[in-house]
Amino acid sequence: VADAPLLDPLHPQPLPDRVSYFIYCSHALSSWSDRLWEYAAPIIFTYIFTSSFLPGAIFAFVGQLFCVLGGSYVGNWIDTTDRLIVIRISLVTQNISVVICAITQFVLFSYQGAEIPWNQPFFVIMFIVMNFFGGIGSLASMSSSVAVTKDWIVVISRDDKFKLSKMNAAMRRINLLCKIIAPLGVSLLIFLFGPKVTILVLAVWNGLSVIPEYLLLTHIYRNYILRIKAEMQDMSQFVIDVDDEDMTTLPQIVAPKIRPNLFQIFINGWRLYFQQGVLFSSLAYVLLYPTALSPGSLLNSYLSLKGVPILAVGAFQAVGAVSGLISTFFAPWMISRFGLGKIGTLSIWCQDLTLWCGVVAFYFTNLQVELVYAFLFFVIFSRVFLWTFDLVQVQVMQVGISEEFRGTVNSVEISLTNLATLLGFGLGIVFSAPEQFGILVLTSVGFVTIAATTYTFWFMLKFPKIPALQKESSPEEEPSMETIALSNISEQEE
C-alpha cells in the first residue's frame, strides 16, 4: 500500500465520519475480548478450587507485575517504533497469550476440588505457564491501549480539545458497554454449559477476533493516521516559514545516536514521568487502583464464595458498568462547561463519600447474604464518579504531555496503576479468606481518600501553572493550527 499523499497544509481535507467508526469498531473488538477474559478467569478458578480465591488473585497479581516491570520498556518501544508495527505485534501476542491461558486453565480442571494441589509438579508447571502467558498478554494489551487511546485519538482529534473529550467519552462508553454485556454473557455460558465449555468458547473467540481487529487498525493507520501526521508536520513547517521568512538556514549538527541499554531505558522512563507537571494528578489516579471495591476478580470471587448466584454476580458487574456509562454522556459537557480541574476534584470526592457509605453498609450486612446488595448499591453508585474522574484524567494525560514523550509517560503511569493493582491483589493473597474481606474494604476506601486529597492539592498548586490545561475545551474558543496560519497570511497581505 502506498504512503498517504501529502496534502495542501492550508486546506486539509476533513476526515470522514467513518474514521471514528473504524476506531470505535476496533476498540469494541479489543474491549470485548479483554472484558470476557478479565471476568471469566478468576470466576472459573472458583469452580476449580472452591475453598479460596488465592489462584485467581495470584493470576491477576502476576499480570500486574509484568506490567509494572515492563511498562517503561513498552513505552520506550512505542515511542521509538512505527505505530503500525506496535499494533500488529501487540494484537497477535495478546490474543495468542489468552488462547494459551484458556487452554491451560482447562487442563487445570483435572485437579478440581477444595484444596489446591501445590505438591503436584504438573499442576505447578501448568499454573506457572498460565501465569507467564497471562503476564505477556497484559503487556501486549497495555502497549496496544497506549498506542491507540493515548496517541491515535489525539492525532485524529487534530488538537480539537472538545472533539478529543467526546472521543474519549465514546471510547469509554464502548468499554463500559463491554463491561455490561461480557459478564452477563460469561455468566450465562457458565450457567447453561458449565465453566469448561466457557473456557473453550473464549479460546476460540480470541483466536478469531484478532483478524478483523488487525485489518481495521491497519486500514486506519495507512489511510488516515499517516495523512494527518503529514498535514500536521507540513503545517508546523509552514507556520515557521511564515513567521521567519527572512531567517537563513543554519547547518544542522547531528549528534551520534547512542542506543541506551535496558537499565537506562527503565530509569529514563521513570525519571521523565516524575518530571511532568501532571505528576500528582497521575499519582492520585494511581491511588484508586489498589481496591477490592470494584467489579473485578477479588470482589467477584468474594461474592461467589459467599453464595451469591453466578447470574447475580454477572448482573452486578453489568450494572456497575451501566452506572459508569451514565457518566460518559454528561462528563464531556461538564468538562467543557466547568473545566478539567474542577470536575476532577468534585468527582473524586463524591466517589470517596459514596464508598464510605458502602463501608457502613458492609459492616451492617456482612453476615447476611440477603442484605449484601445494600453494600453493592453504594459500590455501583460510586462508579458514576469514578468514570467521570477517569475521563478527566485521560484528557489531562493526553493534553498535558508533549507528543514525543506521550508513549513513555503514559506507559509508566500504566505501570504504576498496575503496581497499585498489584498491591491490591497482594493484600487479597494475604487476606484470602472470605471472612477477612472487610480488611480489604477498609484499605480500599482509605486509598481513595488519600487520592482525593492528593488531587485537590495538585489542582490548587500545580494545575494553574500548566498552560495546556488552561485552554477551553470548546473548539469555537480555541483556534486550530490552520486558523493561525491563515491569520498570519492575511496579516502579511494587508
Side-chain angles (χ1 to χ4, degrees):
V1 179
D3 289 340
L6 299 182
L7 304 176
D8 180 0
L10 291 179
H11 304 92
Q13 294 182 358
L15 289 178
D17 292 337
R18 63 176 177 271
V19 182
S20 299
Y21 298 147
F22 289 153
I23 282 281
Y24 298 153
C25 286
S26 67
H27 186 61
L29 286 169
S30 176
S31 295
W32 177 251
S33 299
D34 288 346
R35 298 312 168 198
L36 285 173
W37 182 244
E38 176 187 85
Y39 176 75
I43 285 290
I44 289 174
F45 266 124
T46 65
Y47 283 86
I48 302 175
F49 307 110
T50 57
S51 63
S52 173
F53 50 75
L54 179 61
I58 292 176
F59 178 74
F61 181 92
V62 172
Q64 305 302 323
L65 181 62
F66 269 64
C67 290
V68 170
L69 299 178
S72 183
Y73 303 114
V74 168
N76 180 266
W77 177 58
I78 293 171
D79 284 338
T80 57
T81 308
D82 183 90
R83 293 295 196 270
L84 184 57
I85 295 176
V86 171
I87 289 296
R88 285 174 168 175
I89 294 176
S90 300
L91 279 178
V92 174
T93 302
Q94 180 185 1
N95 283 269
I96 290 177
S97 297
V98 172
V99 170
I100 294 174
C101 285
I103 293 173
T104 307
Q105 193 173 40
F106 182 85
V107 172
L108 292 180
F109 264 97
S110 59
Y111 296 95
Q112 189 173 10
E115 299 299 326
I116 305 172
W118 296 114
N119 59 338
Q120 298 289 330
F122 185 73
F123 166 81
V124 173
I125 292 173
M126 288 293 99
F127 192 66
I128 290 173
V129 168
M130 182 177 178
N131 279 274
F132 175 78
F133 281 99
I136 295 296
S138 297
L139 275 177
S141 176
M142 181 178 73
S143 63
S144 61
S145 175
V146 171
V148 175
T149 63
K150 301 297 176 68
D151 185 44
W152 284 15
I153 295 298
V154 181
V155 173
I156 290 174
S157 70
R158 285 176 162 171
D159 294 328
D160 183 336
K161 302 301 186 295
F162 186 68
K163 182 176 181 180
L164 178 61
S165 180
K166 290 196 296 183
M167 290 191 73
N168 284 333
M171 297 286 275
R172 282 294 184 265
R173 204 169 294 140
I174 291 168
N175 190 21
L176 287 165
L177 283 171
C178 292
K179 273 181 170 286
I180 295 169
I181 303 171
L184 292 174
V186 171
S187 297
L188 190 61
L189 279 173
I190 293 175
F191 180 76
L192 294 176
F193 304 106
K196 290 184 178 181
V197 174
T198 301
I199 293 176
L200 295 178
V201 170
L202 295 182
V204 172
W205 168 260
N206 277 275
L208 296 177
S209 65
V210 67
I211 299 172
E213 190 177 354
Y214 183 98
L215 295 175
L216 274 171
L217 290 174
T218 299
H219 177 77
I220 292 167
Y221 182 80
R222 287 179 169 172
N223 291 277
Y224 303 107
I225 299 295
L226 286 178
R227 194 185 91 188
I228 297 171
K229 288 193 172 184
E231 287 175 357
M232 293 173 66
Q233 184 177 4
D234 288 353
M235 177 58 63
S236 300
Q237 185 61 46
F238 181 82
V239 173
I240 293 172
D241 291 343
V242 169
D243 291 336
D244 304 314
E245 268 187 338
D246 298 329
M247 290 184 65
T248 58
T249 304
L250 297 177
Q252 294 184 349
I253 301 175
V254 181
K257 288 187 177 181
I258 301 176
R259 188 177 183 85
N261 58 42
L262 292 179
F263 181 75
Q264 287 176 321
I265 292 173
F266 182 85
I267 296 299
N268 291 342
W270 285 82
R271 181 183 294 126
L272 183 63
Y273 173 81
F274 283 103
Q275 291 172 348
Q276 302 300 310
V278 299
L279 171 64
F280 285 97
S281 171
S282 178
L283 290 177
Y285 179 69
V286 167
L287 286 169
L288 299 179
Y289 275 78
T291 181
L293 295 180
S294 64
S297 59
L298 288 177
L299 183 53
N300 291 345
S301 298
Y302 168 75
L303 295 175
S304 181
L305 292 173
K306 284 286 289 184
V308 177
I310 184 63
L311 289 179
V313 176
F316 160 66
Q317 181 145 342
V319 174
V322 169
S323 66
L325 183 65
I326 295 171
S327 68
T328 66
F329 289 97
F330 65 77
W333 175 83
M334 292 179 65
I335 291 171
S336 65
R337 178 68 178 82
F338 301 103
L340 287 169
K342 292 179 182 177
I343 297 304
T345 304
L346 176 65
S347 59
I348 195 171
W349 278 112
C350 287
Q351 180 196 0
D352 184 59
L353 177 62
T354 307
L355 287 177
W356 276 112
C357 293
V359 170
V360 175
F362 177 83
Y363 280 98
F364 275 106
T365 64
N366 189 31
L367 299 179
Q368 304 179 54
V369 176
E370 296 80 7
L371 299 178
V372 76
Y373 299 105
F375 158 67
L376 296 181
F377 167 79
F378 289 105
V379 174
I380 290 170
F381 189 53
S382 72
R383 310 295 288 176
V384 175
F385 308 113
L386 170 64
W387 284 100
T388 301
F389 181 77
D390 179 85
L391 285 170
V392 169
Q393 181 58 21
V394 165
Q395 192 160 337
V396 166
M397 295 298 286
Q398 288 170 330
V399 176
I401 300 170
S402 300
E403 181 181 0
E404 62 268 27
F405 305 130
R406 199 175 289 145
T408 298
V409 174
N410 278 283
S411 293
V412 172
E413 184 193 58
I414 293 175
S415 293
L416 278 174
T417 61
N418 283 284
L419 180 61
T421 307
L422 195 68
L423 175 60
F425 286 125
L427 291 172
I429 292 172
V430 174
F431 305 106
S432 59
E435 59 271 15
Q436 296 175 314
F437 193 75
I439 299 174
L440 303 180
V441 170
L442 283 175
T443 305
S444 301
V445 183
F447 277 117
V448 176
T449 303
I450 297 172
T453 305
T454 302
Y455 187 86
T456 302
F457 277 109
W458 173 80
F459 172 63
M460 295 171 61
L461 301 177
K462 287 290 186 179
F463 182 84
K465 300 178 182 179
I466 305 176
L469 298 179
Q470 305 306 310
K471 298 178 181 179
E472 294 294 331
S473 298
S474 174
E476 289 81 12
E477 298 178 7
E478 183 178 352
S480 63
M481 294 181 65
E482 293 88 344
T483 304
I484 296 171
L486 290 171
S487 175
N488 288 338
I489 291 175
S490 299
E491 291 175 2
Q492 286 198 349
E493 289 177 348
E494 292 175 359

